[in-house]
Amino acid sequence: MLSIPELIKKKRDGGALSDEDVKTFIQAVTNKTIQDAQIGAMLMAIWQKGMINSETETLTREMMSSGEVLSWPKEWAGLVVDKHSTGGVGDKVSLVLAPALAACGCKVPMISGRGLAHTGGTLDKLESIPGFNINQSAAQILKIMTSVGCCIVGQTELLVPADRVLYALRDATSTVDSLPLIAGSIISKKGAESLTALVLDVKFGRAALYKDLDSAKELAQLLVSVGNGLGMRTAAALSCMDGTIGRCVGNSVEVMESLETLKGRGPDDLMELVTTLGGVLLMMTGLVSDQSEGRKKISDAVIGGAALSKFQAMMEAQGVANETARSLCSAHKDAYRVLRRAEHQLELEASEEGVVLDVDGLVLAEVLHKLGAGRSKAGEPVNHSVGAELLVSLGQRVKKGVSWLRLHYEAPAPTPDQISRLQNALTLGTNDAQTQQKHTLVKELLLPH
Ligand code: IUR
């Protein structure tokens, strides 16, 4: 058996790790017999030299079985589903889709992640709700799945522990955008959920990890192949991530927008992703006969309030006080007072009159990350109240001086340079014709045969 330094050297020099090598590395990560510096070195070697498909599959299997693999009552056969995204800006799809799928009769044991690089993480968003506990044991997950039908939890010491360690260190070592590491991370969590069907939202564009459609497609194909290899029916959507999904970016403000969506007042782009991805999953379970029936069923669950009831029940089952959960889900205008609001707000104004042609989601995400919405060291806390709300829509004509962005911040305050970067994230033009055609985010679906 090779030692850890020998394994790092083998990968660093471009060799393919054997099944035994991968097992040795993942076991050392899980048992904490390896130094963080050695893990970082191996991650960088994998980032630089890549992995052949069979190595990636072994990595994924070993990560999956580094902890418990969940099992379900046999009556749920065919109904256990999930979706996972490669990371976006303002990407709150999981918060709406998990309860919507549960309302349609599916079981959704979603193991999510924290923010990675500039992208937001579902777990960080949920933790802005006072009391929400993302750490749940396998027995508690089964209980919540039985009573509610969905839960959103994190990796723990017992559940995909290898991903918990690698995920945090990838963020800290700039090794997030590696095909085998992404596949290992996402598919190991989904494998541990013992799913019937999985849909992946693979992002491309300015604010995505992979900017061009071709590289994103390569990632989507790898994820689909590793997912199918682990026995899940796996599909993928390629969706554009140039701007923001919806109007809110940041942890607390995204929870508010998710709740607005669950109350039937969601933005079109978010609803497009929720209904498309959900429609594919419902079709894969056989609960509906085609995608359009699936989309309609998901949309009805969101618009009609059934998904909101599931979200409320999920919050209560995951530790949120009944009164808090009820208040967040009520129609009352003060519903969101239980979420902490940042001490300071700053509205940025349009510097000229024009039509909104573009908002750069990457710039927004990077500035918010620096203001505390994301972390630059593993384990660092995030400031849930930091965020931004877009006050204009694409194609809207705005007058000079109109507020287009509301920034929520505490310490540190935005620097003049950050404010000017934000101002430059807005592109105004004179030509409405350029924005006349309605954009759809999902460009391509890779469906199982
Ligand atoms: N989500 C994950 O769980 N893991 C990853 O590597 C990415 C998104 I990128």
Side-chain angles (χ1 to χ4, degrees):
M1 194 174 86
L2 295 184
S3 68
I4 297 292
E6 285 166 336
L7 288 179
I8 297 169
K9 183 168 185 299
K10 185 170 176 184
K11 186 39 75 188
R12 181 201 71 186
D13 295 343
L17 302 177
S18 68
D19 289 357
E20 191 195 17
D21 296 340
V22 174
K23 194 174 182 133
T24 307
F25 173 63
I26 294 300
Q27 279 186 352
V29 169
T30 310
N31 302 334
K32 304 195 170 75
T33 54
I34 180 172
Q35 298 166 19
D36 280 1
Q38 293 175 312
I39 303 178
M42 179 61 103
L43 291 173
M44 188 54 82
I46 296 173
W47 187 89
Q48 282 179 325
K49 301 296 172 173
M51 280 184 153
I52 54 174
N53 283 5
S54 58
E55 266 180 299
T56 305
E57 253 198 63
T58 309
L59 176 75
T60 310
R61 269 183 210 285
E62 289 301 328
M63 287 175 70
M64 173 184 94
S65 42
S66 66
E68 295 178 61
V69 173
L70 301 172
S71 58
W72 310 117
K74 54 179 183 320
E75 310 85 81
W76 298 0
L79 293 176
V80 188
V81 303
D82 198 1
K83 91 97 203 167
H84 203 93
S85 144
T86 58
V89 175
D91 187 351
K92 51 204 73 79
V93 169
S94 295
L95 275 64
V96 182
L97 183 54
L101 285 163
C104 294
C106 292
K107 298 286 179 184
V108 193
M110 190 178 272
I111 307 177
S112 285
R114 298 194 175 279
L116 266 187
H118 65 274
T119 65
T122 300
L123 301 180
D124 293 324
K125 292 169 204 189
L126 287 170
E127 281 183 341
S128 60
I129 304 173
F132 199 102
N133 184 2
I134 55 116
N135 292 308
Q136 302 288 340
S137 67
Q140 284 161 327
I141 291 175
L142 178 60
K143 198 166 156 221
I144 302 169
M145 291 274 287
T146 307
S147 60
V148 181
C150 63
C151 63
I152 306 183
V153 302
Q155 320 94 316
T156 64
E157 293 285 327
L158 297 174
L159 204 53
V160 238
D163 183 55
R164 182 175 140 108
V165 177
L166 297 182
Y167 194 91
L169 288 172
R170 278 167 63 211
D171 202 19
T173 55
S174 282
T175 51
V176 171
D177 53 342
S178 149
L179 294 180
L181 294 178
I182 297 174
S185 169
I186 294 182
I187 306 295
S188 65
K189 290 195 279 287
K190 305 298 117 176
E193 295 173 16
S194 303
L195 299 179
T196 310
L198 168 65
V199 68
L200 298 154
D201 184 8
V202 181
K203 306 287 191 195
F204 67 93
R206 191 166 47 201
L209 290 180
Y210 291 95
K211 311 294 174 203
D212 63 289
L213 183 58
D214 286 346
S215 336
K217 200 160 173 177
E218 195 187 335
L219 172 60
Q221 281 162 344
L222 177 67
L223 291 168
V224 167
S225 136
V226 179
N228 283 319
L230 259 69
M232 291 164 275
R233 292 195 77 205
T234 308
L238 286 150
S239 71
C240 182
M241 190 64 260
D242 278 337
T244 65
I245 300 173
R247 286 167 169 245
C248 293
V249 185
N251 296 301
S252 288
V253 288
E254 285 192 42
V255 168
M256 289 183 212
E257 191 171 41
S258 305
L259 285 160
E260 280 298 292
T261 306
L262 288 164
K263 292 173 194 177
R265 302 188 287 256
D268 290 349
D269 55 354
L270 176 58
M271 282 302 286
E272 180 206 338
L273 286 171
V274 168
T275 55
T276 305
L277 297 165
V280 166
L281 280 173
L282 290 185
M283 185 183 71
M284 284 160 81
T285 59
L287 284 173
V288 296
S289 50
D290 59 28
Q291 272 186 66
S292 79
E293 192 188 339
R295 277 198 299 268
K296 164 119 186 22
K297 204 166 160 133
I298 295 285
S299 169
D300 289 349
V302 175
I303 306 294
L308 181 67
S309 303
K310 288 286 178 193
F311 191 80
Q312 181 173 344
M314 180 180 82
M315 283 195 281
E316 290 171 3
Q318 293 197 232
V320 178
N322 293 8
E323 207 175 303
T324 305
R326 209 176 317 118
S327 149
L328 286 172
C329 295
S330 78
H332 197 265
K333 70 179 188 338
D334 286 341
Y336 306 123
R337 279 174 78 168
V338 292
L339 300 175
R340 210 172 74 73
R341 185 175 159 86
E343 277 164 28
H344 308 288
Q345 277 70 39
L346 174 71
E347 293 198 356
L348 302 191
E349 295 172 359
S351 55
E352 58 186 357
E353 176 164 350
V355 174
V356 178
L357 295 183
D358 186 35
V359 174
D360 186 332
L362 180 59
V363 170
L364 242 61
E366 285 177 345
V367 172
L368 292 173
H369 192 277
K370 289 243 154 48
L371 295 179
R375 52 179 75 71
S376 48
K377 262 203 233 111
E380 223 171 43
V382 297
N383 185 338
H384 294 111
S385 65
V386 170
E389 289 169 81
L390 261 181
L391 306 173
V392 296
S393 325
L394 286 184
Q396 184 181 332
R397 178 167 284 282
V398 295
K399 291 217 156 51
K400 181 176 173 182
V402 159
S403 296
W404 71 274
L405 188 79
R406 183 178 300 126
L407 189 62
H408 299 257
Y409 69 95
E410 298 195 321
T415 62
D417 176 57
Q418 286 168 335
I419 291 178
S420 109
R421 284 193 74 205
L422 288 174
Q423 279 294 17
N424 291 332
L426 173 71
T427 306
L428 294 172
T430 46
N431 184 1
D432 327 51
Q434 291 173 35
T435 56
Q436 283 308 305
Q437 77 272 43
K438 200 168 170 332
H439 295 287
T440 50
L441 294 181
V442 178
K443 291 289 172 288
E444 206 173 320
L445 284 174
L446 309 181
L447 293 173
H449 305 295

